Amino acid sequence: MITVNEHYYKLKASYLFSDIAERVKNYSNADPDREIIRLGIGDVTSPLPRACIEAFHKAVDEMADEATFRGYGPEQGYAFLREKIAKNDFQDRGISISPDEIIVSDGAKCDTGNIQELFSDTITIAIPDPVYPVYVDTNVMAGRTGANADGRYQGLVYLESTAANGFVPALPSAKVDLIYLCFPNNPTGATATKDQLKEWVDYARENKALILFDAAYESFIRDDSLPHSIFEIEGADEVAVEFRSFSKNAGFTGTRCAYTVVPKKCRGFKQNGEAVEMLPLWLRRQSTKFNGVSYPIQRAAEAVYTEAGRRQVRELTDYYLKNAALILEKMTGLGYTCTGGRNSPYIWIKSDMDSWDLFDLLLQKAGVVCTPGSGFGTCGESYIRISAFNSHANVEKAMQRISEASV
Ligand code: MLT
């Protein structure tokens, strides 16, 4: 008998963004002439930067020539890309990360979802609430939780991120082993200061814990006092893994390229207490289950670090930040209390309504898609998230429609 992994039945029937897509499709089928503006899933809308496109084309041509054709690439990613990442994203900021501590992949979603395979099933996991659902769901699939009761899985320690703590959770009172953090945060748009991250790093060092730090939105930081990487905090290289992506800075959501930083000093422990390096474990996992990102895409990602690429990425992120500022201004003007929208492409909006009711209302009355906050956790109830990833024209139109709909 082929028995199935019954942990899947603990999950909600479908993934949050699939649920939303289904609702939008049903609405669209019922009213096909209605133009819908999508400010739900954080998917970019502008084309790839010119520098990336040029490098991409050139690399595709190389694949057409026997002399320059490439088959399987190096398992960790091409050195040309890892060297640029190490220099530009870390060393130039005074952070000591070397190219062999970087592993190129096809997405931060995959990496943050897959890394839980490296840990035993007895660990205690701390998850922020609200949170990017991938962190939770992949641990549920792996059987590290009990059933879902009232929106929360038994066995997880939830770190409440609320208006009261500025959406930066406090350290847990119970001892935890694995901690998921994301700043600038998805979904709240909140940012964490160096002092706040230091508390987590100190906690992890004292408790032999590990931090999984999702920095997919770091390119939206404009406040120079905010950390772009957890490795700006002393000692973090012993207790943290960081996830980065080219999706939101350079528009690679459809192209797929990201990377994970696992410092050589970063350690886990065997059951007998022996300290072990995390890097060989992640390399073993990736080289067994993943065959790398294609050569043309890694060349396109490398172009992010050219002078033109850097300028174009800055223009792109400025473009979305301008949308974010407009959403923040308009929604605040309508009387909503908002977080995020500065140093982040997401605006987290408090309402008096149930999240899904407000989602439906905005869709029906304004033709605007947002993301219901409750989809990110119980602390997201009565919030919605509006994404700044769309054209200026569409964001202006969406704000106009929401104010006319008087919701
Ligand atoms: C989101 O909308 O939360 C993100 O687009 C999800 C993702 O990056 O996978």
mmCIF file of all heavy atoms in Angstrom, residues 301-317:
data_model
loop_
_atom_site.group_PDB
_atom_site.id
_atom_site.type_symbol
_atom_site.label_atom_id
_atom_site.label_comp_id
_atom_site.label_asym_id
_atom_site.label_seq_id
_atom_site.Cartn_x
_atom_site.Cartn_y
_atom_site.Cartn_z
ATOM 1 N N ALA A 301 22.264 37.822 -13.592
ATOM 2 C CA ALA A 301 22.338 38.257 -12.187
ATOM 3 C C ALA A 301 23.669 38.970 -11.920
ATOM 4 O O ALA A 301 23.718 39.972 -11.188
ATOM 5 C CB ALA A 301 22.176 37.054 -11.261
ATOM 6 N N GLU A 302 24.725 38.482 -12.524
ATOM 7 C CA GLU A 302 26.045 39.115 -12.332
ATOM 8 C C GLU A 302 26.008 40.587 -12.774
ATOM 9 O O GLU A 302 26.646 41.453 -12.167
ATOM 10 C CB GLU A 302 27.102 38.357 -13.158
ATOM 11 C CG GLU A 302 28.506 38.913 -13.010
ATOM 12 C CD GLU A 302 29.458 38.397 -14.086
ATOM 13 O OE1 GLU A 302 28.986 37.912 -15.137
ATOM 14 O OE2 GLU A 302 30.679 38.497 -13.877
ATOM 15 N N ALA A 303 25.210 40.845 -13.833
ATOM 16 C CA ALA A 303 25.147 42.207 -14.379
ATOM 17 C C ALA A 303 24.515 43.208 -13.395
ATOM 18 O O ALA A 303 24.680 44.423 -13.554
ATOM 19 C CB ALA A 303 24.378 42.206 -15.697
ATOM 20 N N VAL A 304 23.826 42.698 -12.383
ATOM 21 C CA VAL A 304 23.291 43.577 -11.327
ATOM 22 C C VAL A 304 24.428 44.368 -10.678
ATOM 23 O O VAL A 304 24.236 45.483 -10.202
ATOM 24 C CB VAL A 304 22.547 42.715 -10.263
ATOM 25 C CG1 VAL A 304 22.348 43.451 -8.955
ATOM 26 C CG2 VAL A 304 21.218 42.220 -10.822
ATOM 27 N N TYR A 305 25.650 43.787 -10.687
ATOM 28 C CA TYR A 305 26.770 44.410 -9.981
ATOM 29 C C TYR A 305 27.649 45.276 -10.875
ATOM 30 O O TYR A 305 28.674 45.777 -10.429
ATOM 31 C CB TYR A 305 27.609 43.319 -9.286
ATOM 32 C CG TYR A 305 26.776 42.527 -8.294
ATOM 33 C CD1 TYR A 305 26.335 41.247 -8.592
ATOM 34 C CD2 TYR A 305 26.385 43.096 -7.088
ATOM 35 C CE1 TYR A 305 25.546 40.531 -7.696
ATOM 36 C CE2 TYR A 305 25.602 42.391 -6.191
ATOM 37 C CZ TYR A 305 25.180 41.111 -6.502
ATOM 38 O OH TYR A 305 24.392 40.429 -5.613
ATOM 39 N N THR A 306 27.264 45.433 -12.148
ATOM 40 C CA THR A 306 28.004 46.391 -12.982
ATOM 41 C C THR A 306 27.548 47.796 -12.593
ATOM 42 O O THR A 306 26.519 47.961 -11.905
ATOM 43 C CB THR A 306 27.702 46.166 -14.481
ATOM 44 O OG1 THR A 306 26.287 46.331 -14.662
ATOM 45 C CG2 THR A 306 28.117 44.774 -14.931
ATOM 46 N N GLU A 307 28.278 48.800 -13.074
ATOM 47 C CA GLU A 307 27.894 50.179 -12.727
ATOM 48 C C GLU A 307 26.479 50.477 -13.227
ATOM 49 O O GLU A 307 25.640 50.995 -12.489
ATOM 50 C CB GLU A 307 28.902 51.133 -13.350
ATOM 51 C CG GLU A 307 28.921 52.474 -12.662
ATOM 52 C CD GLU A 307 29.828 53.443 -13.416
ATOM 53 O OE1 GLU A 307 30.913 53.025 -13.851
ATOM 54 O OE2 GLU A 307 29.410 54.606 -13.562
ATOM 55 N N ALA A 308 26.236 50.092 -14.508
ATOM 56 C CA ALA A 308 24.896 50.351 -15.068
ATOM 57 C C ALA A 308 23.846 49.536 -14.321
ATOM 58 O O ALA A 308 22.762 50.043 -14.007
ATOM 59 C CB ALA A 308 24.894 49.991 -16.554
ATOM 60 N N GLY A 309 24.172 48.286 -14.009
ATOM 61 C CA GLY A 309 23.213 47.418 -13.314
ATOM 62 C C GLY A 309 22.832 47.979 -11.956
ATOM 63 O O GLY A 309 21.662 47.998 -11.579
ATOM 64 N N ARG A 310 23.825 48.461 -11.242
ATOM 65 C CA ARG A 310 23.546 49.015 -9.901
ATOM 66 C C ARG A 310 22.624 50.227 -10.001
ATOM 67 O O ARG A 310 21.703 50.402 -9.193
ATOM 68 C CB ARG A 310 24.855 49.414 -9.214
ATOM 69 C CG ARG A 310 25.652 48.213 -8.769
ATOM 70 C CD ARG A 310 27.099 48.571 -8.596
ATOM 71 N NE ARG A 310 27.287 49.371 -7.408
ATOM 72 C CZ ARG A 310 27.884 48.915 -6.309
ATOM 73 N NH1 ARG A 310 28.340 47.704 -6.266
ATOM 74 N NH2 ARG A 310 28.035 49.681 -5.270
ATOM 75 N N ARG A 311 22.917 51.082 -11.015
ATOM 76 C CA ARG A 311 22.090 52.283 -11.192
ATOM 77 C C ARG A 311 20.655 51.883 -11.551
ATOM 78 O O ARG A 311 19.694 52.403 -11.011
ATOM 79 C CB ARG A 311 22.708 53.155 -12.291
ATOM 80 C CG ARG A 311 22.107 54.556 -12.373
ATOM 81 C CD ARG A 311 22.727 55.388 -13.478
ATOM 82 N NE ARG A 311 22.544 54.799 -14.782
ATOM 83 C CZ ARG A 311 23.511 54.248 -15.528
ATOM 84 N NH1 ARG A 311 24.753 54.231 -15.091
ATOM 85 N NH2 ARG A 311 23.253 53.726 -16.708
ATOM 86 N N GLN A 312 20.545 50.902 -12.464
ATOM 87 C CA GLN A 312 19.205 50.496 -12.918
ATOM 88 C C GLN A 312 18.398 49.816 -11.800
ATOM 89 O O GLN A 312 17.190 49.996 -11.688
ATOM 90 C CB GLN A 312 19.339 49.582 -14.142
ATOM 91 C CG GLN A 312 19.824 50.345 -15.368
ATOM 92 C CD GLN A 312 20.469 49.469 -16.432
ATOM 93 O OE1 GLN A 312 20.407 48.247 -16.374
ATOM 94 N NE2 GLN A 312 21.101 50.101 -17.413
ATOM 95 N N VAL A 313 19.083 49.044 -10.976
ATOM 96 C CA VAL A 313 18.391 48.387 -9.850
ATOM 97 C C VAL A 313 17.910 49.455 -8.858
ATOM 98 O O VAL A 313 16.796 49.383 -8.329
ATOM 99 C CB VAL A 313 19.320 47.356 -9.159
ATOM 100 C CG1 VAL A 313 18.806 46.982 -7.775
ATOM 101 C CG2 VAL A 313 19.453 46.112 -10.018
ATOM 102 N N ARG A 314 18.740 50.440 -8.656
ATOM 103 C CA ARG A 314 18.355 51.533 -7.756
ATOM 104 C C ARG A 314 17.106 52.252 -8.306
ATOM 105 O O ARG A 314 16.160 52.549 -7.566
ATOM 106 C CB ARG A 314 19.536 52.507 -7.625
ATOM 107 C CG ARG A 314 19.300 53.689 -6.741
ATOM 108 C CD ARG A 314 19.309 53.264 -5.281
ATOM 109 N NE ARG A 314 19.085 54.401 -4.439
ATOM 110 C CZ ARG A 314 19.434 54.492 -3.174
ATOM 111 N NH1 ARG A 314 20.001 53.479 -2.566
ATOM 112 N NH2 ARG A 314 19.189 55.561 -2.474
ATOM 113 N N GLU A 315 17.124 52.508 -9.617
ATOM 114 C CA GLU A 315 15.961 53.182 -10.234
ATOM 115 C C GLU A 315 14.700 52.337 -10.084
ATOM 116 O O GLU A 315 13.619 52.839 -9.784
ATOM 117 C CB GLU A 315 16.226 53.432 -11.732
ATOM 118 C CG GLU A 315 17.170 54.599 -11.979
ATOM 119 C CD GLU A 315 17.771 54.615 -13.392
ATOM 120 O OE1 GLU A 315 17.351 53.812 -14.252
ATOM 121 O OE2 GLU A 315 18.693 55.428 -13.608
ATOM 122 N N LEU A 316 14.881 51.033 -10.255
ATOM 123 C CA LEU A 316 13.745 50.110 -10.172
ATOM 124 C C LEU A 316 13.154 50.088 -8.752
ATOM 125 O O LEU A 316 11.930 50.178 -8.562
ATOM 126 C CB LEU A 316 14.260 48.715 -10.537
ATOM 127 C CG LEU A 316 13.359 47.708 -11.200
ATOM 128 C CD1 LEU A 316 12.575 48.311 -12.342
ATOM 129 C CD2 LEU A 316 14.228 46.546 -11.727
ATOM 130 N N THR A 317 14.017 49.971 -7.770
ATOM 131 C CA THR A 317 13.519 49.909 -6.398
ATOM 132 C C THR A 317 12.966 51.280 -5.970
ATOM 133 O O THR A 317 11.969 51.349 -5.257
ATOM 134 C CB THR A 317 14.605 49.404 -5.417
ATOM 135 O OG1 THR A 317 15.827 50.100 -5.682
ATOM 136 C CG2 THR A 317 14.839 47.919 -5.577
#
